[in-house]
Structures are given as C-alpha cells and as structure tokens.
Amino acid sequence: MEPVPTASSTKEEQPVEPPKDGYLDDVFSILKARQHPIVLVEESALRWMGIRVYPERDLDLLIRDSEMEVIKADLLATDQYELVEQDLDLRLSDTYTQQVPRLRLKTNNRSSYSCISLWSERVYMLNVDGEMIEVPDPHAWNVVLKEERFDLHLSWAQADSISYTTRINNGVMVLPPTLAQSADMKYPVYIPTIPRIFDALLDQASYRVTHAEGFPGKVANLPRYHLRNCVRYLHLEKPQQRERVLPQLAERNQGEMEAIINQFKRKPPVTLASLQMELDKHEILSSEVLIGFLGTAYLTLVLVTIYYFIDCGSKPTANVIDRGIIDFLWRRFSRRPNKKWGTALRRAVLMFSDQQVVTGIAILVAGFSQLHCGLASFHWKIIVALAWFSSLTHLTTLTVLYQYFRDNPVIRNWRAAFMLITVILLGTALVPTGNRKWPGTIEVPTLCFFDELAVDRSGYGAREQETISMFIIICFLLISYVTRIIKLSKRSSDFTRRWLRSKPGNLLKKCLDGLNRRAQSKSPQIFWALGHQLLLGTFVVLMAIYDIFGCTLWEVRNYLSFYRIYGDLHESISRLPS
C-alpha cells in the first residue's frame, strides 16, 4: 500500500506492530449486517480462477444496485475511507470504469488493499444473486483454480494442474500471511462461476464497442483484455476446454467468445533449451557473430589509438594538449614514423568507420522491421546493445577523421545524413528501456512497451530509475552526435569556437585588463587586486577545461568509458534474464 501522510507523521515514530488478521472486518461487518454477500470481481476474482493477474491496490466488490448508495454511505460513515476517482493507470485507461465508486483507506494498516471499488450490477452487467463459488479469502497468495471442473490436464494442455486441491496437496501457499477477516467474523467470500464472469465480461466488451461515443478519449477495452488472459491461462483454445466453456455461456455471447479464442495463438513454452535453440537458429549470439562484430570494433579502436600517436600531433589544427602529449612521447625516439604510415592508418580507420555506421543502421532497421512479428524484449535488448556499441565505435573514428571530411564536403554531407538516421533510430530504440517494467520476461513482445507509451505512459516517470537512465543515455547520444556533426565542417567548427571560446575569452581578457588597471591606480587597491586574481583563476580554469574537452585523447577516453558502462555487449548479455 502507499503510505498516506497523517497528522502524527511529524512526531516521533512509533514501532510498527506486525499486521493482524481482520483488516477488512469493518467492510465485512457492514455487508454482513445488511445480509449482502461478498462477491469478488476483476483481478481479485480472476486469481481464484487460475488467471495470472496482479491486483495492485483495489479490492473489487460486486454490489446490488438497490443497496449501492447505502453501503457506500456506511463505509464513508466509518471515517476510515474517503471517496476518490478511479486510477485509470490501473484500468488500462478504460474511461468506462470512471463510473465505479472508489473508496481509499485513509491510514496505512499494511493490508493487501488500499482501495475498495464498488461495482454495481448495472455497471458490471452481472447479478449478485447467482451461481457462485466460495473462496477462503479475498486475496489468493498464489494463483489457483477454485472451480475445479475447468482444471487443466497435462496430457492435452502441456500444463500442470492448478486446481485448489492439487495446489494444497503440493504444498503451494494459497492463503496470504495476513487474512482479510478475523476468526470472529467468519463471513463467506464468493466469486462468480467462470461462465457467469465470462458472460459479464463479454457484455461489457460489446457495450464499450457499441457505445464508444459515450466515453471521452481513447477507450481501452479492459474486459476483452481479461478475456484474452482467461483464454491464455485456462488453455481455452484446446478442444477439451472449449467444449467445457462455450456451451455454458449465454447464446448471445458464444460466437464472440469463440472468435476471441480463435484469435489467440499460443507461443511454445520458453525454456533455456528452447531459447538457446532459437538464438542459435537466428545466429544472434553465436560465437562467430560475436567474434566478427566485437573483433572489428576493438580492431577499430586499436587503429584509432595508433593513428592518434603517429599522425594527430602533426596536424595544424591539433589541440595544444594533443601536441604536448605526442611531442613528449616521441622525444625519446630519434625520429617519428613516416607520414605514409599515417595515410595508410587513416584509410583503414575510414573503412572501419564506414562499416560501423552501416552496421548500426542495418541492425536497427532489422529490429524495427520485426516488431510487428512479436520480437521479444530479450532480443530487442541485444539489438540495442549491438547498435549502441557500433554507434560509439563510429563516433570514436570521427575523432581522427575531421580533416578528411572537411577536405571532402560531398562525403561529409552523406556521412552527416547517415549519422542523423542513426541517432533517430537508436534514440527511438532506447525508449522502451525507460519503462520501469523493462525488460519484463524474456517472451514479452517489445511492441507492448511501445503501445503502452502511446496509451498511458504509466511505465515512465521522472522518479523511475529506468526512465532517468534512458534520459541520460539519449542526452549523451544527442550531444555526441551534434558535436561530431559540427566538427565535420570547418565553418561550423570555427563558428562554435568563436562563440564558445574566442568571444568569451576576449571578454574575460578585457575584464582582466580593466581590473588590473584599477588595481594599480585606484583605492582600495586590494579590492581590485582580489577581483583580478579571482577572475584570472576562473579564466585559466575555463581555458584548461576547454582544451581538455577539445583534445582528441579525451574524446577517445570518454567513449571507452561509455563502452564499459553502457556499450559492452558482454555485460548486456550476462544481465539478460535466465
């Protein structure tokens, strides 16, 4: 539950007592006094039907239309609940649910639920008085099938039995550590039968389609989402289960339910063995691919480093730090290598640079083309890591190729275009990694994360660690590409140098001269002398920082650090879910 601030939050904290049974006794006592049965719906009920869903905050109860207002008033009269709006992030942005009253607990009693949603018979399209199944608690600690006539059989479903009896005999924990009602309450809790809940969900789904104009915004069909989960976890596509369920439904809903079942395509079970076979089949992680890709990248880095020490210091545009480092190293040798070595190395680096930019675009285009084919987040993570590694390798090669591109403007323009394509594709590919649920399980399609971003953005937040990490990486990517594109052209490079270094530097020099003259001629001299020394120190530090960040060696070192932090493919593979 989310902690709710109270008036005593500023006082000295008291030791928290362990939770006790009966955290819903106040609700049960009100329903018991009115002889109203406790009927669970939505996720709370689906977990007792063998469906792997997770109620996050709300306990959903079905209430008679005639008693909705009085029961809601009774709950509010306890002064333990307050009326709040539905959290659409928990309802797949389904605006139909806004008509459901939602009561939030004012204090944190460490129970399983912080809110109670009261569904009327009219809204849920299900009568309270009907065939029901009794369950021991509103919350099923582990998913279990209480209505055992729909249990799975290994011989035809390739799945273990999830019936209540089987789970109990196997020692599976079904009840939560803290029960909703105390031993003194003993009021039964029910769920509708599976056919009844299916009929209600099908009626709701049809209503949302036929009356879509009554709900503002993009209406998500929450009941249809529940039905697809039911098909998946109850294996309703199997003939045995289909024959059990369809005849039990209302005649008006049988055709629609059969259509939902026919649309479902079950993926083969994912195991370590099947996953390895799939990877070997597509050669995503084969040794040959890794050796070829990583070997080329690291060879490129080696060539860039050698070229830096052989030829960079002799360039007229070389940074003062680069010249100083290279001159210091070559003083111990009688002569420097022939310039032909520099020419040969530059051509080799240019060849590998072309290869890396084409490889990065090809990997990303191939990944995006497979999104609608159900490309899993497992594979998407590898694709992003490969593209990121290729992108950084390409950016590293540019640090020693600026003069070549300045001398060849046509080639430079083509390279800038390819860089723009790369940064757009890679930036978009990084967006799903900012979701707090990323990467999910190994079989979750990556397209689900893109769809969620388009619908409600609930997985992203300014305080989410994954979102912050994604934002930092994309910012680094954009800054790196913008600065490299600027440096490819002498005109743009000179323009930025003039406005970021020359003009601010000249302004500081004028200020220093003015302070120096005042320190020598005006009183109090110590005031002007102190200002002169402070400004001089600032000027020296800024010039040093500018030279450090502008030197080629710093750029190469900077990219090597990001290889280790983000781009190393081995680290990415080792952190993939097992």
Side-chain angles (χ1 to χ4, degrees):
M1 289 180 53
E2 292 184 343
V4 179
T6 64
S8 61
S9 60
T10 58
K11 299 180 180 179
E12 183 179 356
E13 293 187 0
Q14 300 296 328
V16 180
E17 296 183 1
K20 298 180 181 180
D21 293 346
Y23 61 86
L24 284 179
D25 276 357
D26 54 343
V27 179
F28 284 17
S29 61
I30 291 174
L31 295 175
K32 185 177 182 180
R34 295 192 175 276
Q35 297 183 350
H36 191 292
I38 299 176
V39 183
L40 308 176
V41 290
E42 291 295 288
E43 286 85 354
S44 300
L46 293 175
R47 286 182 64 82
W48 288 107
M49 299 176 183
I51 314 303
R52 294 186 180 275
V53 290
Y54 303 93
E56 299 186 39
R57 300 176 187 172
D58 287 36
L59 174 66
D60 295 280
L61 301 177
L62 185 64
I63 306 297
R64 293 191 183 103
D65 290 340
S66 58
E67 300 184 67
M68 169 63 76
E69 293 302 323
V70 293
I71 290 177
K72 182 174 68 173
D74 288 345
L75 289 172
L76 293 174
T78 64
D79 201 31
Q80 297 186 39
Y81 297 91
E82 58 182 348
L83 195 62
V84 295
E85 293 183 355
Q86 283 290 335
D87 187 348
L88 293 183
D89 288 343
L90 304 180
R91 305 290 186 182
L92 296 183
S93 299
D94 191 340
T95 55
Y96 178 86
T97 61
Q98 289 179 322
Q99 57 189 314
V100 179
R102 186 176 189 236
L103 283 69
R104 182 172 62 192
L105 192 64
K106 292 183 178 180
T107 58
N108 181 6
N109 65 351
R110 300 180 65 186
S111 64
S112 298
Y113 306 99
S114 61
C115 296
I116 298 175
S117 291
L118 305 178
W119 293 79
S120 66
E121 294 174 313
R122 177 188 61 82
V123 173
Y124 208 77
M125 303 185 184
L126 180 67
N127 291 328
V128 170
D129 301 308
E131 189 178 1
M132 297 181 291
I133 305 293
E134 185 175 353
V135 296
D137 193 85
H139 181 58
W141 189 255
N142 282 294
V143 172
V144 63
L145 180 59
K146 201 68 172 63
E147 195 171 356
E148 299 190 2
R149 59 174 173 158
F150 296 109
D151 192 20
L152 311 177
H153 291 271
L154 182 61
S155 60
W156 50 265
Q158 295 182 344
D160 295 331
S161 170
I162 56 174
S163 71
Y164 181 80
T165 302
T166 303
R167 302 281 263 179
I168 293 296
N169 292 338
N170 291 340
V172 176
M173 186 175 176
V174 174
L175 293 178
T178 305
L179 300 179
Q181 58 179 326
S182 61
D184 298 333
M185 179 59 61
K186 295 182 179 178
Y187 194 57
V189 181
Y190 299 98
I191 59 172
T193 60
I194 289 178
R196 292 187 67 221
I197 202 79
F198 280 9
D199 274 332
L201 293 174
L202 288 165
D203 288 339
Q204 292 179 49
S206 299
Y207 185 86
R208 282 163 168 79
V209 174
T210 57
H211 297 80
E213 68 280 358
F215 307 104
K218 183 178 180 180
V219 180
N221 204 318
L222 181 61
R224 185 173 289 272
Y225 170 79
H226 289 327
L227 289 167
R228 288 197 295 264
N229 277 332
C230 292
V231 174
R232 175 184 178 185
Y233 291 109
L234 293 180
H235 289 253
L236 298 184
E237 82 279 8
K238 304 295 193 306
Q240 295 87 339
Q241 285 289 71
R242 188 190 298 248
E243 293 173 2
R244 289 175 175 177
V245 172
L246 288 180
Q248 302 292 325
L249 302 180
E251 185 176 353
R252 66 180 182 279
N253 290 325
Q254 290 180 4
E256 181 62 23
M257 187 65 199
E258 189 167 12
I260 294 175
I261 294 174
N262 292 335
Q263 291 172 1
F264 178 78
K265 302 296 181 183
R266 185 173 300 278
K267 296 181 179 179
V270 178
T271 62
L272 288 178
S274 64
L275 183 59
Q276 187 60 48
M277 291 176 60
E278 184 70 12
L279 295 176
D280 291 342
K281 176 182 176 181
H282 295 285
E283 295 185 349
I284 295 178
L285 289 178
S286 64
S287 300
E288 294 81 1
V289 172
L290 283 179
I291 292 174
F293 186 86
L294 298 178
T296 302
Y298 285 122
L299 178 59
T300 304
L301 294 177
V302 171
L303 292 176
V304 168
T305 305
I306 296 175
Y307 178 79
Y308 169 79
F309 288 109
I310 289 179
D311 201 47
C312 274
S314 61
K315 301 293 184 183
T317 58
N319 183 279
V320 63
I321 295 179
D322 291 326
R323 288 199 300 268
I325 292 174
I326 295 173
D327 289 342
F328 174 78
L329 292 176
W330 284 109
R331 284 174 189 170
R332 300 184 180 183
F333 299 91
S334 59
R335 61 177 183 177
R336 293 190 177 187
N338 193 296
K339 290 187 178 181
K340 293 182 179 180
W341 282 94
T343 303
L345 286 171
R346 188 183 68 247
R347 291 177 179 175
V349 171
L350 179 61
M351 178 187 68
F352 284 117
S353 178
D354 296 338
Q355 183 188 56
Q356 292 299 321
V357 70
V358 172
T359 300
I361 294 176
I363 290 172
L364 291 169
V365 170
F368 279 106
S369 68
Q370 296 300 310
L371 279 178
H372 290 281
C373 299
L375 184 69
S377 59
F378 173 84
H379 294 131
W380 189 257
K381 189 173 182 179
I382 300 173
I383 288 172
V384 172
L386 288 169
W388 175 265
F389 198 90
S390 177
S391 175
L392 287 187
T393 305
H394 169 248
L395 289 177
T396 305
T397 63
L398 295 181
T399 60
V400 297
L401 294 175
Y402 293 138
Q403 191 59 46
Y404 170 80
F405 286 113
R406 291 175 182 179
D407 296 338
N408 298 273
V410 176
I411 298 177
R412 177 196 64 208
N413 294 338
W414 277 104
R415 178 56 57 93
F418 281 117
M419 291 173 66
L420 182 62
I421 295 173
T422 302
V423 73
I424 292 174
L425 291 176
L426 184 54
T428 306
L430 286 166
V431 170
T433 66
N435 195 305
R436 69 171 182 267
K437 304 172 187 176
W438 179 264
T441 56
I442 54 180
E443 74 272 14
V444 174
T446 307
L447 192 59
C448 294
F449 294 96
F450 282 105
D451 291 342
E452 181 178 343
L453 178 65
V455 174
D456 58 10
R457 301 182 178 89
S458 60
Y460 301 82
R463 297 183 179 180
E464 298 292 343
Q465 181 179 354
E466 294 81 2
T467 305
I468 295 173
S469 176
M470 175 203 69
F471 180 77
I472 293 174
I473 296 174
I474 292 180
C475 285
F476 169 80
L477 187 71
L478 292 175
I479 293 173
S480 298
Y481 270 86
V482 169
T483 55
R484 298 304 159 262
I485 291 176
I486 289 175
K487 287 188 175 183
L488 290 180
S489 170
K490 187 177 186 303
R491 179 181 299 179
S492 59
S493 180
D494 291 343
F495 177 82
T496 53
R497 181 182 179 88
R498 181 170 62 254
W499 285 97
L500 295 180
R501 173 166 179 156
S502 300
K503 287 185 177 295
N506 292 334
L507 179 62
L508 286 176
K509 289 178 183 178
K510 290 181 180 179
C511 293
L512 286 171
D513 291 340
L515 289 174
N516 186 43
R517 288 193 300 270
R518 286 176 173 81
Q520 295 177 358
S521 61
K522 292 188 177 182
S523 179
Q525 295 181 350
I526 188 172
F527 174 79
W528 298 105
L530 180 61
H532 177 270
Q533 294 300 319
L534 289 176
L535 187 59
L536 179 62
T538 303
F539 175 78
V540 173
V541 170
L542 290 177
M543 292 298 103
I545 292 175
Y546 190 96
D547 286 333
I548 290 173
F549 279 92
C551 72
T552 303
L553 185 62
W554 172 263
E555 292 184 12
V556 175
R557 181 262 175 201
N558 194 29
Y559 286 123
L560 288 175
S561 298
F562 271 86
Y563 278 130
R564 178 175 56 82
I565 298 173
Y566 295 108
D568 196 321
L569 186 59
H570 290 299
E571 181 181 354
S572 176
I573 294 172
S574 66
R575 295 171 67 180
L576 290 172
S578 59

